[in-house]
């Protein structure tokens, strides 16, 4: 009996997390001698949640590991690609294509979509926070809002989307970075005294960990901020405000007050870290008010999924499609300057960007050939840099 209610790697790889109708489809195809019929499927998205105009593709590495070993050819956008759900003419944009005997990959549709949908949603939310925060520090604190089995996935997706660091130990280990965090209210409550708790942290914890004091446990935030600054002096890197919404009032005004009171006492070096119920609008507002860093949890970790679907669009070289979808194999072109996407029937002439006239490049790259992964699977740090470079175009 399993200890936790999560699927194992082997169960996922074998397709045992699929929906039952795919197993019945396999059974029928085999019984009727159709298990070798070659189908070409594409993965596209419906309209994005929260009125997002773009999304960050994430989960490609897991998708490659899932499909590896099956007799299929797979093309995909590079992980971290920012895409729109339709091209400039309103044609749905394929982010991945799969070709092979349909019976060989039918059962993998459910786990494949789950990997792409959730990872892309988290990465997109993180990227939007990155834009809202500008060049200021963004930390992901969202591990406690989802099942712990997902902690590495959440941290990886958030990091790819642009956060600077994660608090989850497991996620940081996966990423090859140091986990970050300050202190919980519990530490202060156990000591029964803010100053004693801050000083204990300073005395015990390694000196390479920034000293960030949590300053909203018992008293007014600006009072505790000054107390922390006086207690730790130059060693204090920052103060964190995590006031619950029921006691917060105008959070931006609280940030301004704390900044003022620290500055007039000569503590201009102390940074203000804010956390607790943040989203892209509040991050933008608090940044303008003077916050220096943001710990964002639920809004990223519980991000709505990108609603991907997989559809067969070609059988044996002949275009097919259910209603609402466009049949036939397709090429996807992207402008290197403005990131505009153009979808054309496969084999069409290379287009010029319809918006700026620049050269376009094919964005679907070989990922798997005959069951073998042929693409490099870059480190999350490289994928993150790719995302940030594209965000510059949106920032402009």
């Amino acid at each position: 009996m399993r200890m936790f209610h999560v699927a194992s790697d082997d169960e996922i790889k074998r397709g045992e997390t699929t929906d039952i109708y795919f197993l019945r489809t396999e059974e029928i195809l085999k019984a009727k001698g159709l298990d070798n019929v070659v189908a070409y499927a594409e993965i596209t998205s419906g309209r994005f949640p929260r009125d997002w105009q773009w999304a960050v593709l994430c989960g490609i590495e897991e998708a490659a590991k899932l499909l590896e070993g099956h007799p299929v050819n797979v093309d995909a956008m590079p992980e971290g690609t920012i895409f729109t759900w339709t091209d400039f003419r309103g044609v749905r944009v394929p982010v991945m294509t799969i070709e092979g005997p349909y019976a060989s990959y039918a059962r993998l549709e459910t786990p494949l979509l789950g990997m792409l949908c959730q990872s892309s949603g988290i990465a997109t939310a993180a990227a939007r926070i990155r834009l809202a925060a500008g060049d200021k520090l963004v930390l992901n604190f969202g591990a406690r809002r989802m099942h712990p089995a997902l902690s590495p996935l959440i941290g990886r997706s958030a990091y790819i989307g642009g956060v600077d660091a994660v608090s989850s130990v497991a996620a940081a280990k996966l990423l090859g970075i140091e986990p970050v965090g300050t202190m919980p209210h519990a530490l202060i409550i156990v000591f029964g005294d803010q100053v004693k708790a801050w000083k204990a942290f300073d005395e015990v914890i390694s000196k390479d960990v920034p000293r960030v004091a949590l300053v909203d446990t018992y008293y007014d935030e600006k009072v505790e901020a000054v107390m922390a600054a006086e207690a730790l002096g130059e060693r204090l890197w920052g103060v964190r405000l995590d006031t619950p919404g029921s006691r917060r009032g105008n959070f931006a005004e609280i940030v301004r007050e704390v900044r003022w009171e620290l500055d007039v006492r000569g503590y201009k070096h102390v940074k203000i870290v804010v956390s607790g119920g943040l989203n892209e609008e509040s991050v933008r507002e608090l940044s303008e008010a003077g916050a220096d860093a943001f710990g964002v949890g639920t809004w990223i970790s519980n991000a709505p999924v990108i609603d991907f679907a997989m559809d067969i669009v070609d059988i044996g070289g002949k275009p097919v499609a259910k209603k609402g979808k466009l049949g036939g194999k397709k090429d996807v072109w992207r402008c290197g300057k403005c990131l505009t996407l153009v979808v054309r029937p496969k084999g069409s002439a290379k287009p010029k960007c319809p918006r700026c006239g620049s050269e376009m490049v094919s964005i679907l790259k070989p990922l798997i050939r005959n069951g073998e992964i042929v693409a490099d699977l870059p480190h999350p740090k490289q994928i993150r840099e790719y995302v940030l470079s594209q965000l510059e175009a949106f920032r402009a």
Side-chain angles (χ1 to χ4, degrees), residues 50-68:
R50 293 179 177 167
D51 293 324
W52 291 342
Q53 300 302 306
W54 49 268
V56 178
L57 179 62
C58 194
I60 293 297
E61 180 179 300
E62 282 193 316
K65 298 292 180 62
L66 177 70
L67 295 165
E68 184 181 18

Side-chain angles (χ1 to χ4, degrees), residues 178-396:
E178 289 296 318
V180 299
T182 57
M183 62 184 66
H185 290 98
L187 176 68
I188 295 168
I189 292 170
V190 168
F191 271 89
D193 181 281
Q194 304 97 312
V195 176
K196 288 181 180 179
W198 298 329
K199 287 185 174 180
F201 186 100
D202 186 40
E203 292 166 3
V204 174
I205 300 302
S206 171
K207 300 304 180 186
D208 59 357
V209 175
R211 271 51 182 154
V212 181
L214 183 59
V215 295
D216 61 3
T217 305
Y218 294 124
Y219 307 153
D220 183 88
E221 292 84 356
K222 65 182 179 182
V223 172
E224 290 201 16
V226 172
M227 289 169 59
E230 291 175 344
L232 300 185
E234 291 298 320
R235 300 190 305 282
L236 184 64
W237 184 91
V239 294
R240 178 164 73 95
L241 284 60
D242 190 50
T243 304
S246 62
R247 303 292 295 274
R248 184 174 290 165
N250 187 320
F251 203 4
E253 283 303 309
I254 294 174
V255 170
R256 291 188 183 95
E257 286 184 21
V258 171
R259 182 75 275 159
W260 179 275
E261 298 299 336
L262 289 171
D263 288 354
V264 297
R265 290 168 173 78
Y267 300 114
K268 292 184 178 181
H269 71 282
V270 177
K271 295 176 173 57
I272 297 176
V273 182
V274 292
S275 60
L278 301 183
N279 55 39
E280 59 179 306
E281 290 79 17
S282 59
V283 164
R284 193 173 292 110
E285 179 186 14
L286 294 173
S287 179
E288 293 172 356
D292 301 292
F294 307 90
V296 185
T298 303
W299 202 82
I300 292 177
S301 64
N302 294 36
V305 301
I306 301 301
D307 189 15
F308 287 115
M310 189 170 90
D311 297 284
I312 295 174
V313 294
D314 183 284
I315 293 286
K318 295 182 179 180
V320 296
K322 71 178 185 181
K323 60 183 180 180
K325 301 297 174 76
L326 302 180
K329 301 179 181 181
K330 305 170 184 71
D331 289 323
V332 183
W333 303 89
R334 189 167 81 149
C335 176
K337 184 176 181 180
C338 68
L339 308 186
T340 294
L341 291 166
V342 172
V343 180
R344 291 282 188 269
K346 195 165 189 67
S348 299
K350 178 180 178 180
K352 290 278 188 179
C353 178
R355 290 203 170 97
C356 69
S358 298
E359 289 291 321
M360 305 196 82
V361 297
S362 176
I363 194 65
L364 291 177
K365 309 293 185 182
L367 180 64
I368 292 176
R369 288 294 180 268
N370 298 316
E372 285 190 30
I373 298 174
V374 296
D376 290 331
L377 300 177
H379 189 277
K381 183 177 180 180
Q382 294 174 277
I383 304 172
R384 179 178 182 272
E385 291 170 354
Y386 175 45
V387 172
L388 295 179
S389 69
Q390 296 168 90
L391 285 178
E392 285 302 313
F394 286 91
R395 195 193 305 270

